[in-house]
Amino acid sequence: GNSVTQMEGPVTLSEEAFLTINCTYTATGYPSLFWYVQYPGEGLQLLLKATKADDKGSNKGFEATYRKETTSFHLEKGSVQVSDSAVYFCALSEGSWGKLQFGAGTQVVVTP
Amino acid sequence: DAEITQSPRHKITETGRQVTLACHQTWNHNNMFWYRQDLGHGLRLIHYSYGVQDTNKGEVSDGYSVSRSNTEDLPLTLESAASSQTSVYFCASSRSTGNGNTIYFGEGSWLTVV
């Protein structure tokens, strides 16, 4: 079956540091890949997505590239802010029906 | 603005009681989902529906049921609440418009079973 593996957290960074969160997946077909973000006490929001190999998703300074050869979708941001403190979830879906398979989530804490 | 709302946002119930969590979306989405979020597990799919009168079991469906009598609502029922069902529950919805369609989440319902 499909699965998503994320690096464990928490990840603690200083403001303006570079952030990378690793995500790898296993899938039988050609999934779409997503990063969702959850701020404290809130639901999940879509951060970015990529629907085919070599696509790069980007939003709010975050980027992730769909790497089929390494089955990875690592999230990066060049300079984090305190407001980026949240839990980040990598997820995949196959087909058009929208069922998502999530990783366990990575908590990111950014300190001033 | 269209949205997805869950109620109640917080509930404490006793073991053995029946509990229903409501989910209502105004986007006219065909697809609706219920997930539970637990530390170390991320979000796991409980039940999902692709349209009116359609319901399907997800990864962790035991002890839960759903019904879809209209497009807007997908209530989640815990038939006999257990302490293992203490969790945060998220409802979500999406269109059926092809690969990679975005899923939108509600703000969550915190359920404690004592």
Side-chain angles (χ1 to χ4, degrees):
Chain A
N2 298 340
S3 67
V4 178
T5 304
Q6 288 180 240
M7 60 187 290
E8 290 188 15
V11 174
T12 303
L13 302 163
S14 298
E15 208 164 20
E16 298 184 3
F18 185 87
L19 170 68
T20 299
I21 304 176
N22 290 339
C23 171
T24 57
Y25 68 90
T26 58
T28 53
Y30 301 96
S32 295
L33 301 173
F34 304 80
W35 277 101
Y36 278 82
V37 58
Q38 183 181 32
Y39 298 104
E42 299 184 8
L44 279 73
Q45 304 172 24
L46 178 67
L47 182 59
L48 53 85
K49 68 180 183 182
T51 59
K52 61 183 186 298
D54 299 325
D55 269 2
K56 177 186 283 188
S58 61
N59 186 26
K60 298 182 181 180
F62 290 89
E63 292 184 342
T65 300
Y66 189 147
R67 301 287 188 200
K68 186 168 179 288
E69 63 277 13
T70 55
T71 62
S72 64
F73 193 54
H74 304 321
L75 183 68
E76 296 181 336
K77 186 174 185 181
S79 176
V80 294
Q81 305 300 313
V82 172
S83 58
D84 293 323
S85 297
V87 180
Y88 293 81
F89 292 93
C90 186
L92 69 80
S93 73
E94 286 198 274
S96 62
W97 298 104
K99 266 195 306 177
L100 284 171
Q101 180 84 32
F102 284 91
T106 302
Q107 184 179 10
V108 173
V109 178
V110 181
T111 58
Chain B
D1 287 342
E3 59 183 6
I4 181 166
T5 55
Q6 296 183 227
S7 64
R9 296 292 312 282
H10 297 87
K11 185 170 181 67
I12 301 174
T13 190
E14 294 179 342
T15 301
R17 289 193 179 267
Q18 184 181 78
V19 176
T20 296
L21 305 180
C23 176
H24 179 81
Q25 52 96 5
T26 58
W27 283 302
N28 202 36
H29 284 169
N30 290 327
N31 306 335
M32 295 185 73
F33 310 86
W34 274 104
Y35 288 87
R36 60 177 288 174
Q37 182 180 21
D38 303 289
L39 196 63
H41 291 280
L43 278 78
R44 293 179 291 176
L45 184 62
I46 305 172
H47 282 285
Y48 58 101
S49 168
Y50 290 146
V52 176
Q53 302 301 330
D54 176 74
T55 61
N56 305 278
K57 293 181 179 180
E59 179 186 357
V60 289
S61 60
D62 287 349
Y64 304 94
S65 64
V66 293
S67 60
R68 188 89 181 271
S69 59
N70 58 53
T71 300
E72 295 80 16
D73 299 290
L74 187 72
L76 177 72
T77 297
L78 286 68
E79 304 293 346
S80 177
S83 58
S84 60
Q85 294 176 308
T86 293
S87 186
V88 184
Y89 292 86
F90 287 97
C91 182
S93 71
S94 71
R95 292 187 188 280
S96 299
T97 55
N99 201 22
N101 54 321
T102 299
I103 292 183
Y104 297 90
F105 284 83
E107 294 192 336
S109 295
W110 274 253
L111 178 67
T112 301
V113 183
V114 298

